[in-house]
Structure formats: structure tokens, C-alpha cells
Amino acid sequence: LQTAVLPLKALSFGAVYQIRIFVTDTRGKKAEASSFFATVEENLPERFIRPAHHFEGGAVYFKKTFAAESGLVRAVLYGAPLGCGDFFLDGAPICDHYFDTAVSNFDKTVLYRAYDLTKEIKKGKHALVAYVGDGFWAQRSVWKKGTRHGSNLPPYSDTPALWAAL
């Protein structure tokens, strides 16, 4: 196994990056993979939004309508639910996988996803919708009510929440 370390420069806010990996095994067989990721913009929202009411086991519906002007250069949706769910733009899902937040120690870190919606957003009116359910953040079926991970820690929350910026 051979590895190559490339010099890294500091990542820029609001940039989209492509990662490409090339691998050759000991028999000379080659494989290639690539993926994209985006860094968040500066000055994003500093708080999560929560519903006024929530029923355990039910999904919360968040909706924001907006208008796009002509000349759009790029549109990236950054999102992190505290729970799990899906994003929709104008009634269509924005991705082919279930929208979730990777499990972390939510007391310290919440991971987000970035979705490039530049091709989907044309001039005119649009609606961005998120359905957010209990997920790991607000679930009470694994540990008993009032505890987290079988400890005496309080549960993260009893209400799903959403952080998103487009």
C-alpha cells in the first residue's frame, strides 16, 4: 500500500470542493472515485428553529417560500436537522437519500450536509420544505424517559429542530 500526501491549503468559506481518489492494487487493477463537498458560508444562522407543538413519533413540517432573481450564480442548501427527515424543493426531494444528521455528541458538535441546488432554482417563486422527525436527537424509545444512553444524562430534547440556510 502506498499513500501520497498532498499539500493542503486552508479551505475557503462557501466553496465547493471535489475530491478524487485513484487506487492501484498489487495486481495493477485501477479504481477511481470522486465526491464533492462544500464548506459553509460565513454569517449563517446561529440557532435552530423548533415547532411550537410536536407529537412524539410525528414529523414536523417546516416551509419557507422565496423568489429567485435572474442571474443566479450558485445556490447551496446547508442543513442539519436535530432528528431525521427530508428536504423538498417545489415538491420534489432534493436528494435520493434520507436526510439525517450524523450521530455525534450533540452537546459539542452538529454535522451538516450541503446540497448544490443551482440547477434546480430558476427565476421565480419557490418553496423549500423540510420534514423533521425525532431521530437520534429526540427519540425516547432506546433509552428510558429522562435519560440518555442509559445514563443519568438528560435526553437531548423532546422536540426535533432544524438548522438550514440557502
Side-chain angles (χ1 to χ4, degrees):
L1 175 67
Q2 294 182 355
T3 60
V5 178
L6 304 176
L8 294 177
K9 61 180 183 177
L11 300 178
S12 300
F13 285 110
V16 177
Y17 294 91
Q18 179 181 22
I19 253 182
R20 293 179 65 192
I21 299 171
F22 303 89
V23 177
T24 304
D25 69 13
T26 56
R27 295 172 290 180
K29 188 171 183 179
K30 297 181 179 187
E32 176 184 340
S34 67
S35 184
F36 290 88
F37 70 94
T39 55
V40 297
E41 299 282 350
E42 290 185 274
N43 304 317
L44 289 174
E46 294 183 7
R47 65 181 182 86
F48 283 80
I49 56 174
R50 289 185 159 76
H53 304 285
H54 172 64
F55 299 100
E56 184 178 346
V60 179
Y61 175 84
F62 296 99
K63 180 179 181 180
K64 177 71 176 178
T65 57
F66 64 97
E69 301 295 326
S70 60
L72 178 70
V73 175
R74 189 176 65 166
V76 178
L77 171 65
Y78 302 96
L82 291 179
C84 58
D86 280 311
F87 266 126
F88 294 83
L89 178 65
D90 300 328
I94 65 163
C95 61
D96 62 357
H97 64 273
Y98 196 60
F99 179 60
D100 63 345
T101 297
V103 176
S104 65
N105 180 346
F106 294 121
D107 296 325
K108 297 177 181 179
T109 305
V110 176
L111 302 172
Y112 66 90
R113 291 189 184 214
Y115 302 92
D116 186 351
L117 300 179
T118 307
K119 293 179 183 176
E120 288 79 8
I121 297 180
K122 307 296 181 209
K123 181 180 178 181
K125 295 182 180 180
H126 298 276
L128 181 63
V129 170
Y131 290 98
V132 182
D134 293 344
F136 188 76
W137 168 259
Q139 64 88 20
R140 290 182 237 158
S141 60
V142 173
W143 48 79
K144 63 184 178 183
K145 188 174 182 175
T147 68
R148 179 174 6 138
H149 312 295
S151 70
N152 290 327
L153 293 170
Y156 286 116
S157 179
D158 59 359
T159 307
L162 176 67
W163 173 88
L166 177 61

